[in-house]
Amino acid sequence: MTLIFLVVGSYILGNVLTGSMISNFFFKKDIRIEGSGNPGARNAGRVFGKKAFIATFIGDALKGATAIFVAKWFGFGATVELCALFAVTLGHVYPLFLKFRGGMGVSTFIGGMLAFNPLLFAVFVGLFIMFYPFLKSFTLAGLSAVLLMPVLVLVFSYGVPVFIVACLLSALLLFTHRVDLKEKLMPEKS
């Protein structure tokens, strides 16, 4: 029963979109119709400035970290911790209370992975830094590191169940960025 509450609670927590709260409360605008229409940190920064970017990033990252810390507090293992992170990220990307129009999930993922295993997260950041000079794109470098996250959990001696949930989490983030990936990998010819 606790597991169900954890997963459902994580999904509901994901529905709390920091960018939407900041834009509505401080700017009296709906971020989902401003800029790219995405309520994530990047669009908040583009539309409302650096402070909005930082606040949105931190708020969304805290959701991921909170889901992991609650799972740890209840004594669940790594598999359930990542299930909670998947649920909170899914809630952020597809929020029931906002007609399933949410953010891309990156900030929530980052906060959760940092809370899950700081050393593994440091390797993840190292991969991003390694890929960036070759790919010359934050999006492609970040998503390349996300793609390798399931491999990292195996390298860090987590078992197959953790690997499977990490695959689902990576697939969710890659799916949310499918338009970005298509634009970066297959640019339209003029």
Side-chain angles (χ1 to χ4, degrees):
M1 198 60 145
T2 308
L3 175 59
I4 294 168
F5 281 125
L6 173 67
V7 171
V8 172
S10 294
Y11 174 81
I12 291 169
L13 175 62
N15 279 237
V16 179
L17 300 181
T18 310
S20 289
M21 291 180 4
I22 288 170
S23 69
N24 291 333
F25 187 77
F26 292 105
F27 299 98
K28 309 297 184 221
K29 293 181 178 179
D30 183 358
I31 195 171
R32 294 180 312 138
I33 57 172
E34 300 285 333
S36 68
N38 187 294
R42 187 164 45 169
N43 193 42
R46 232 184 266 135
V47 175
F48 303 119
K50 274 186 202 172
K51 288 180 183 176
F53 169 84
I54 292 167
T56 302
F57 177 83
I58 291 172
D60 289 343
L62 283 173
K63 292 190 303 189
T66 299
I68 294 289
F69 286 138
V70 170
K72 287 180 186 291
W73 186 72
F74 278 115
F76 288 114
T79 304
V80 174
E81 289 173 26
L82 281 191
C83 284
L85 180 56
F86 179 82
V88 73
T89 306
L90 188 67
H92 178 84
V93 174
Y94 298 110
L96 175 66
F97 303 119
L98 293 169
K99 300 179 183 175
F100 301 103
R101 284 187 53 226
M104 303 291 252
V106 174
S107 301
T108 304
F109 170 80
I110 287 172
M113 289 311 297
L114 180 58
F116 176 70
N117 184 326
L119 185 57
L120 188 149
F121 179 75
V123 174
F124 171 82
V125 172
L127 286 172
F128 167 80
I129 291 168
M130 186 177 77
F131 286 131
Y132 182 73
F134 299 102
L135 299 172
K136 305 234 184 308
S137 162
F138 281 108
T139 301
L140 289 180
L143 292 176
S144 296
V146 165
L147 184 63
L148 291 174
M149 184 55 71
V151 176
L152 289 181
V153 299
L154 290 179
V155 170
F156 275 73
S157 301
Y158 290 104
V160 172
V162 176
F163 171 77
I164 291 169
V165 181
C167 285
L168 292 173
L169 194 50
S170 291
L172 175 62
L173 289 178
L174 292 169
F175 182 75
T176 63
H177 287 83
R178 64 194 178 282
V179 173
D180 289 338
L181 283 169
K182 187 177 178 184
E183 287 174 1
K184 299 282 184 190
L185 297 174
M186 296 179 284
E188 290 183 25
K189 293 177 184 175
S190 48

